Amino acid sequence: ALSLSAADEQAQAEDEDLLRLHEALEQLAACEPRKARALELAYFGGLDREEIARALGVSVPTVDRDLRFGRAWLKRALEA
């Protein structure tokens, strides 16, 4: 069982996490827009690597590099 106040606290914590993620993605987009877009398409759009490559007009290896860089960048930004 979960009390209403505990559920509210959990929802607020999740909202804060989502806001931090949004802000980090905006910061990434300011300096590396294609990498940020690749992450958005993968995580929020549900696209696979090939679909992302077509959408961005780049090769699949470029998408792989962009996703690796973007994930590492976000991890570092969210740990700070």
Side-chain angles (χ1 to χ4, degrees):
L2 184 65
S3 70
L4 288 177
S5 61
D8 186 49
E9 289 174 15
Q10 183 177 356
Q12 287 177 351
E14 290 173 1
D15 287 347
E16 289 173 13
D17 290 344
L18 188 58
L19 180 60
R20 288 183 62 223
L21 175 61
H22 174 71
E23 290 170 350
L25 274 171
E26 284 186 339
Q27 291 170 358
L28 177 59
C31 61
E32 297 287 348
R34 189 185 69 218
K35 291 171 176 63
R37 186 71 180 134
L39 284 174
E40 291 171 349
L41 292 171
Y43 291 127
F44 301 115
L47 276 63
D48 64 28
R49 296 165 38 245
E50 291 81 13
E51 292 169 325
I52 295 168
R54 282 193 301 276
L56 297 179
V58 298
S59 68
V60 172
T62 297
V63 169
D64 291 338
R65 285 189 298 273
D66 286 353
L67 291 175
R68 267 194 314 275
F69 178 92
R71 287 181 189 120
W73 196 96
L74 279 181
K75 181 178 179 189
R76 184 174 236 195
L78 293 174
E79 287 176 350

mmCIF file of all heavy atoms in Angstrom, residues 44-77:
data_model
loop_
_atom_site.group_PDB
_atom_site.id
_atom_site.type_symbol
_atom_site.label_atom_id
_atom_site.label_comp_id
_atom_site.label_asym_id
_atom_site.label_seq_id
_atom_site.Cartn_x
_atom_site.Cartn_y
_atom_site.Cartn_z
ATOM 1 N N PHE A 44 12.352 8.988 -27.272
ATOM 2 C CA PHE A 44 10.972 9.466 -27.237
ATOM 3 C C PHE A 44 10.198 9.088 -28.486
ATOM 4 O O PHE A 44 8.986 8.960 -28.445
ATOM 5 C CB PHE A 44 10.930 10.976 -27.014
ATOM 6 C CG PHE A 44 11.609 11.397 -25.732
ATOM 7 C CD1 PHE A 44 12.744 12.186 -25.773
ATOM 8 C CD2 PHE A 44 11.128 10.988 -24.512
ATOM 9 C CE1 PHE A 44 13.386 12.567 -24.600
ATOM 10 C CE2 PHE A 44 11.758 11.350 -23.327
ATOM 11 C CZ PHE A 44 12.889 12.146 -23.379
ATOM 12 N N GLY A 45 10.910 8.934 -29.595
ATOM 13 C CA GLY A 45 10.254 8.570 -30.841
ATOM 14 C C GLY A 45 10.207 7.078 -31.087
ATOM 15 O O GLY A 45 9.453 6.601 -31.930
ATOM 16 N N GLY A 46 11.049 6.331 -30.367
ATOM 17 C CA GLY A 46 11.063 4.878 -30.521
ATOM 18 C C GLY A 46 11.654 4.395 -31.833
ATOM 19 O O GLY A 46 11.433 3.251 -32.228
ATOM 20 N N LEU A 47 12.406 5.248 -32.523
ATOM 21 C CA LEU A 47 12.992 4.867 -33.802
ATOM 22 C C LEU A 47 14.236 4.007 -33.586
ATOM 23 O O LEU A 47 14.942 4.165 -32.585
ATOM 24 C CB LEU A 47 13.387 6.105 -34.616
ATOM 25 C CG LEU A 47 12.284 6.762 -35.453
ATOM 26 C CD1 LEU A 47 11.169 7.294 -34.591
ATOM 27 C CD2 LEU A 47 12.865 7.855 -36.305
ATOM 28 N N ASP A 48 14.484 3.103 -34.529
ATOM 29 C CA ASP A 48 15.722 2.321 -34.462
ATOM 30 C C ASP A 48 16.832 3.082 -35.181
ATOM 31 O O ASP A 48 16.601 4.159 -35.755
ATOM 32 C CB ASP A 48 15.530 0.908 -35.019
ATOM 33 C CG ASP A 48 15.183 0.877 -36.497
ATOM 34 O OD1 ASP A 48 15.571 1.788 -37.247
ATOM 35 O OD2 ASP A 48 14.526 -0.091 -36.919
ATOM 36 N N ARG A 49 18.031 2.553 -35.164
ATOM 37 C CA ARG A 49 19.199 3.235 -35.715
ATOM 38 C C ARG A 49 19.037 3.570 -37.196
ATOM 39 O O ARG A 49 19.404 4.659 -37.630
ATOM 40 C CB ARG A 49 20.445 2.373 -35.499
ATOM 41 C CG ARG A 49 20.758 2.183 -34.041
ATOM 42 C CD ARG A 49 21.758 1.064 -33.725
ATOM 43 N NE ARG A 49 22.834 0.914 -34.650
ATOM 44 C CZ ARG A 49 23.032 -0.167 -35.432
ATOM 45 N NH1 ARG A 49 22.205 -1.190 -35.371
ATOM 46 N NH2 ARG A 49 24.044 -0.235 -36.251
ATOM 47 N N GLU A 50 18.496 2.635 -37.953
ATOM 48 C CA GLU A 50 18.316 2.871 -39.382
ATOM 49 C C GLU A 50 17.302 3.979 -39.642
ATOM 50 O O GLU A 50 17.493 4.822 -40.527
ATOM 51 C CB GLU A 50 17.892 1.579 -40.098
ATOM 52 C CG GLU A 50 18.969 0.510 -40.154
ATOM 53 C CD GLU A 50 19.102 -0.306 -38.871
ATOM 54 O OE1 GLU A 50 18.213 -0.225 -37.988
ATOM 55 O OE2 GLU A 50 20.113 -1.012 -38.740
ATOM 56 N N GLU A 51 16.223 3.995 -38.876
ATOM 57 C CA GLU A 51 15.204 5.034 -39.034
ATOM 58 C C GLU A 51 15.757 6.408 -38.643
ATOM 59 O O GLU A 51 15.467 7.413 -39.304
ATOM 60 C CB GLU A 51 13.978 4.698 -38.183
ATOM 61 C CG GLU A 51 13.219 3.478 -38.673
ATOM 62 C CD GLU A 51 12.174 2.996 -37.693
ATOM 63 O OE1 GLU A 51 12.380 3.087 -36.463
ATOM 64 O OE2 GLU A 51 11.123 2.510 -38.168
ATOM 65 N N ILE A 52 16.550 6.431 -37.591
ATOM 66 C CA ILE A 52 17.172 7.689 -37.172
ATOM 67 C C ILE A 52 18.111 8.189 -38.266
ATOM 68 O O ILE A 52 18.119 9.378 -38.594
ATOM 69 C CB ILE A 52 17.924 7.519 -35.839
ATOM 70 C CG1 ILE A 52 16.941 7.201 -34.707
ATOM 71 C CG2 ILE A 52 18.744 8.769 -35.508
ATOM 72 C CD1 ILE A 52 17.595 6.739 -33.417
ATOM 73 N N ALA A 53 18.899 7.273 -38.837
ATOM 74 C CA ALA A 53 19.827 7.651 -39.902
ATOM 75 C C ALA A 53 19.073 8.275 -41.079
ATOM 76 O O ALA A 53 19.484 9.316 -41.613
ATOM 77 C CB ALA A 53 20.634 6.437 -40.353
ATOM 78 N N ARG A 54 17.968 7.672 -41.474
ATOM 79 C CA ARG A 54 17.163 8.222 -42.576
ATOM 80 C C ARG A 54 16.594 9.591 -42.206
ATOM 81 O O ARG A 54 16.612 10.525 -43.008
ATOM 82 C CB ARG A 54 16.049 7.267 -42.968
ATOM 83 C CG ARG A 54 16.512 6.099 -43.823
ATOM 84 C CD ARG A 54 15.352 5.356 -44.455
ATOM 85 N NE ARG A 54 14.405 4.801 -43.494
ATOM 86 C CZ ARG A 54 14.545 3.628 -42.873
ATOM 87 N NH1 ARG A 54 15.601 2.871 -43.120
ATOM 88 N NH2 ARG A 54 13.622 3.197 -42.039
ATOM 89 N N ALA A 55 16.083 9.705 -40.996
ATOM 90 C CA ALA A 55 15.466 10.963 -40.565
ATOM 91 C C ALA A 55 16.482 12.105 -40.507
ATOM 92 O O ALA A 55 16.145 13.254 -40.816
ATOM 93 C CB ALA A 55 14.805 10.791 -39.196
ATOM 94 N N LEU A 56 17.704 11.789 -40.126
ATOM 95 C CA LEU A 56 18.730 12.821 -39.984
ATOM 96 C C LEU A 56 19.592 12.975 -41.235
ATOM 97 O O LEU A 56 20.406 13.896 -41.306
ATOM 98 C CB LEU A 56 19.618 12.519 -38.776
ATOM 99 C CG LEU A 56 18.917 12.511 -37.412
ATOM 100 C CD1 LEU A 56 19.904 12.166 -36.304
ATOM 101 C CD2 LEU A 56 18.252 13.846 -37.143
ATOM 102 N N GLY A 57 19.446 12.057 -42.183
ATOM 103 C CA GLY A 57 20.242 12.126 -43.398
ATOM 104 C C GLY A 57 21.709 11.813 -43.189
ATOM 105 O O GLY A 57 22.577 12.415 -43.823
ATOM 106 N N VAL A 58 21.968 10.869 -42.274
ATOM 107 C CA VAL A 58 23.347 10.455 -41.985
ATOM 108 C C VAL A 58 23.426 8.935 -42.050
ATOM 109 O O VAL A 58 22.415 8.246 -42.187
ATOM 110 C CB VAL A 58 23.822 10.963 -40.602
ATOM 111 C CG1 VAL A 58 23.824 12.490 -40.558
ATOM 112 C CG2 VAL A 58 22.952 10.408 -39.478
ATOM 113 N N SER A 59 24.641 8.412 -41.910
ATOM 114 C CA SER A 59 24.824 6.964 -41.933
ATOM 115 C C SER A 59 24.528 6.348 -40.563
ATOM 116 O O SER A 59 24.531 7.042 -39.539
ATOM 117 C CB SER A 59 26.262 6.625 -42.341
ATOM 118 O OG SER A 59 27.156 7.036 -41.320
ATOM 119 N N VAL A 60 24.308 5.042 -40.550
ATOM 120 C CA VAL A 60 24.060 4.327 -39.298
ATOM 121 C C VAL A 60 25.277 4.418 -38.366
ATOM 122 O O VAL A 60 25.095 4.657 -37.162
ATOM 123 C CB VAL A 60 23.656 2.852 -39.570
ATOM 124 C CG1 VAL A 60 23.590 2.053 -38.276
ATOM 125 C CG2 VAL A 60 22.307 2.809 -40.288
ATOM 126 N N PRO A 61 26.512 4.272 -38.861
ATOM 127 C CA PRO A 61 27.651 4.453 -37.954
ATOM 128 C C PRO A 61 27.693 5.857 -37.321
ATOM 129 O O PRO A 61 28.077 5.999 -36.153
ATOM 130 C CB PRO A 61 28.871 4.201 -38.843
ATOM 131 C CG PRO A 61 28.370 3.280 -39.900
ATOM 132 C CD PRO A 61 26.961 3.751 -40.165
ATOM 133 N N THR A 62 27.266 6.864 -38.065
ATOM 134 C CA THR A 62 27.212 8.214 -37.489
ATOM 135 C C THR A 62 26.168 8.274 -36.382
ATOM 136 O O THR A 62 26.403 8.869 -35.328
ATOM 137 C CB THR A 62 26.912 9.259 -38.583
ATOM 138 O OG1 THR A 62 27.988 9.249 -39.522
ATOM 139 C CG2 THR A 62 26.751 10.649 -37.999
ATOM 140 N N VAL A 63 25.038 7.635 -36.599
ATOM 141 C CA VAL A 63 24.002 7.575 -35.559
ATOM 142 C C VAL A 63 24.562 6.865 -34.326
ATOM 143 O O VAL A 63 24.363 7.322 -33.197
ATOM 144 C CB VAL A 63 22.732 6.859 -36.062
ATOM 145 C CG1 VAL A 63 21.766 6.561 -34.922
ATOM 146 C CG2 VAL A 63 22.054 7.686 -37.136
ATOM 147 N N ASP A 64 25.267 5.762 -34.530
ATOM 148 C CA ASP A 64 25.856 5.037 -33.399
ATOM 149 C C ASP A 64 26.792 5.940 -32.600
ATOM 150 O O ASP A 64 26.733 5.962 -31.368
ATOM 151 C CB ASP A 64 26.622 3.804 -33.890
ATOM 152 C CG ASP A 64 25.701 2.731 -34.434
ATOM 153 O OD1 ASP A 64 24.500 2.717 -34.085
ATOM 154 O OD2 ASP A 64 26.189 1.889 -35.218
ATOM 155 N N ARG A 65 27.638 6.690 -33.295
ATOM 156 C CA ARG A 65 28.562 7.605 -32.608
ATOM 157 C C ARG A 65 27.795 8.704 -31.883
ATOM 158 O O ARG A 65 28.107 9.046 -30.735
ATOM 159 C CB ARG A 65 29.552 8.210 -33.598
ATOM 160 C CG ARG A 65 30.624 7.260 -34.049
ATOM 161 C CD ARG A 65 31.704 7.966 -34.864
ATOM 162 N NE ARG A 65 31.194 8.554 -36.094
ATOM 163 C CZ ARG A 65 31.081 7.899 -37.247
ATOM 164 N NH1 ARG A 65 31.441 6.626 -37.330
ATOM 165 N NH2 ARG A 65 30.616 8.517 -38.318
ATOM 166 N N ASP A 66 26.792 9.262 -32.550
ATOM 167 C CA ASP A 66 25.992 10.319 -31.932
ATOM 168 C C ASP A 66 25.287 9.823 -30.672
ATOM 169 O O ASP A 66 25.252 10.519 -29.656
ATOM 170 C CB ASP A 66 24.952 10.860 -32.910
ATOM 171 C CG ASP A 66 25.550 11.738 -33.993
ATOM 172 O OD1 ASP A 66 26.767 12.044 -33.932
ATOM 173 O OD2 ASP A 66 24.797 12.123 -34.912
ATOM 174 N N LEU A 67 24.726 8.624 -30.738
ATOM 175 C CA LEU A 67 24.032 8.075 -29.568
ATOM 176 C C LEU A 67 25.007 7.785 -28.427
ATOM 177 O O LEU A 67 24.693 8.073 -27.263
ATOM 178 C CB LEU A 67 23.253 6.815 -29.945
ATOM 179 C CG LEU A 67 22.039 7.030 -30.850
ATOM 180 C CD1 LEU A 67 21.432 5.689 -31.251
ATOM 181 C CD2 LEU A 67 21.002 7.925 -30.187
ATOM 182 N N ARG A 68 26.158 7.237 -28.746
ATOM 183 C CA ARG A 68 27.166 6.990 -27.701
ATOM 184 C C ARG A 68 27.585 8.287 -27.033
ATOM 185 O O ARG A 68 27.637 8.394 -25.806
ATOM 186 C CB ARG A 68 28.397 6.291 -28.282
ATOM 187 C CG ARG A 68 28.369 4.795 -28.195
ATOM 188 C CD ARG A 68 29.719 4.154 -28.463
ATOM 189 N NE ARG A 68 30.428 4.674 -29.608
ATOM 190 C CZ ARG A 68 30.255 4.276 -30.867
ATOM 191 N NH1 ARG A 68 29.378 3.353 -31.150
ATOM 192 N NH2 ARG A 68 30.955 4.803 -31.842
ATOM 193 N N PHE A 69 27.893 9.288 -27.854
ATOM 194 C CA PHE A 69 28.298 10.580 -27.313
ATOM 195 C C PHE A 69 27.167 11.187 -26.483
ATOM 196 O O PHE A 69 27.388 11.667 -25.366
ATOM 197 C CB PHE A 69 28.672 11.535 -28.459
ATOM 198 C CG PHE A 69 29.052 12.904 -27.974
ATOM 199 C CD1 PHE A 69 30.374 13.205 -27.713
ATOM 200 C CD2 PHE A 69 28.088 13.895 -27.781
ATOM 201 C CE1 PHE A 69 30.732 14.470 -27.260
ATOM 202 C CE2 PHE A 69 28.432 15.157 -27.330
ATOM 203 C CZ PHE A 69 29.761 15.446 -27.069
ATOM 204 N N GLY A 70 25.967 11.188 -27.030
ATOM 205 C CA GLY A 70 24.831 11.791 -26.342
ATOM 206 C C GLY A 70 24.526 11.125 -25.015
ATOM 207 O O GLY A 70 24.260 11.803 -24.018
ATOM 208 N N ARG A 71 24.579 9.799 -24.988
ATOM 209 C CA ARG A 71 24.326 9.084 -23.726
ATOM 210 C C ARG A 71 25.376 9.430 -22.678
ATOM 211 O O ARG A 71 25.050 9.664 -21.510
ATOM 212 C CB ARG A 71 24.319 7.575 -23.973
ATOM 213 C CG ARG A 71 23.097 7.087 -24.688
ATOM 214 C CD ARG A 71 23.153 5.569 -24.868
ATOM 215 N NE ARG A 71 22.095 5.130 -25.728
ATOM 216 C CZ ARG A 71 22.279 4.491 -26.881
ATOM 217 N NH1 ARG A 71 23.499 4.184 -27.300
ATOM 218 N NH2 ARG A 71 21.253 4.129 -27.614
ATOM 219 N N ALA A 72 26.639 9.458 -23.089
ATOM 220 C CA ALA A 72 27.715 9.791 -22.163
ATOM 221 C C ALA A 72 27.559 11.230 -21.671
ATOM 222 O O ALA A 72 27.728 11.521 -20.487
ATOM 223 C CB ALA A 72 29.070 9.591 -22.831
ATOM 224 N N TRP A 73 27.218 12.129 -22.570
ATOM 225 C CA TRP A 73 27.039 13.536 -22.217
ATOM 226 C C TRP A 73 25.906 13.689 -21.212
ATOM 227 O O TRP A 73 26.034 14.407 -20.211
ATOM 228 C CB TRP A 73 26.769 14.342 -23.476
ATOM 229 C CG TRP A 73 26.937 15.812 -23.300
ATOM 230 C CD1 TRP A 73 28.029 16.561 -23.589
ATOM 231 C CD2 TRP A 73 25.942 16.726 -22.786
ATOM 232 N NE1 TRP A 73 27.776 17.872 -23.299
ATOM 233 C CE2 TRP A 73 26.514 18.008 -22.807
ATOM 234 C CE3 TRP A 73 24.645 16.570 -22.332
ATOM 235 C CZ2 TRP A 73 25.818 19.129 -22.366
ATOM 236 C CZ3 TRP A 73 23.967 17.689 -21.891
ATOM 237 C CH2 TRP A 73 24.555 18.945 -21.918
ATOM 238 N N LEU A 74 24.776 13.029 -21.486
ATOM 239 C CA LEU A 74 23.633 13.121 -20.564
ATOM 240 C C LEU A 74 23.953 12.516 -19.205
ATOM 241 O O LEU A 74 23.589 13.082 -18.179
ATOM 242 C CB LEU A 74 22.418 12.402 -21.159
ATOM 243 C CG LEU A 74 21.600 13.157 -22.175
ATOM 244 C CD1 LEU A 74 20.434 12.298 -22.639
ATOM 245 C CD2 LEU A 74 21.093 14.468 -21.627
ATOM 246 N N LYS A 75 24.636 11.387 -19.218
ATOM 247 C CA LYS A 75 24.987 10.755 -17.941
ATOM 248 C C LYS A 75 25.813 11.716 -17.089
ATOM 249 O O LYS A 75 25.551 11.893 -15.910
ATOM 250 C CB LYS A 75 25.767 9.461 -18.188
ATOM 251 C CG LYS A 75 26.134 8.753 -16.927
ATOM 252 C CD LYS A 75 26.865 7.462 -17.198
ATOM 253 C CE LYS A 75 27.241 6.808 -15.876
ATOM 254 N NZ LYS A 75 28.101 5.687 -16.037
ATOM 255 N N ARG A 76 26.787 12.327 -17.715
ATOM 256 C CA ARG A 76 27.648 13.265 -16.996
ATOM 257 C C ARG A 76 26.843 14.484 -16.521
ATOM 258 O O ARG A 76 27.001 14.942 -15.390
ATOM 259 C CB ARG A 76 28.789 13.698 -17.885
ATOM 260 C CG ARG A 76 29.776 14.570 -17.220
ATOM 261 C CD ARG A 76 30.915 14.815 -18.155
ATOM 262 N NE ARG A 76 32.127 14.404 -17.495
ATOM 263 C CZ ARG A 76 33.318 14.726 -17.894
ATOM 264 N NH1 ARG A 76 33.474 15.387 -19.005
ATOM 265 N NH2 ARG A 76 34.368 14.354 -17.221
ATOM 266 N N ALA A 77 25.985 15.010 -17.374
ATOM 267 C CA ALA A 77 25.197 16.186 -17.020
ATOM 268 C C ALA A 77 24.225 15.892 -15.877
ATOM 269 O O ALA A 77 24.010 16.729 -15.013
ATOM 270 C CB ALA A 77 24.430 16.697 -18.233
#
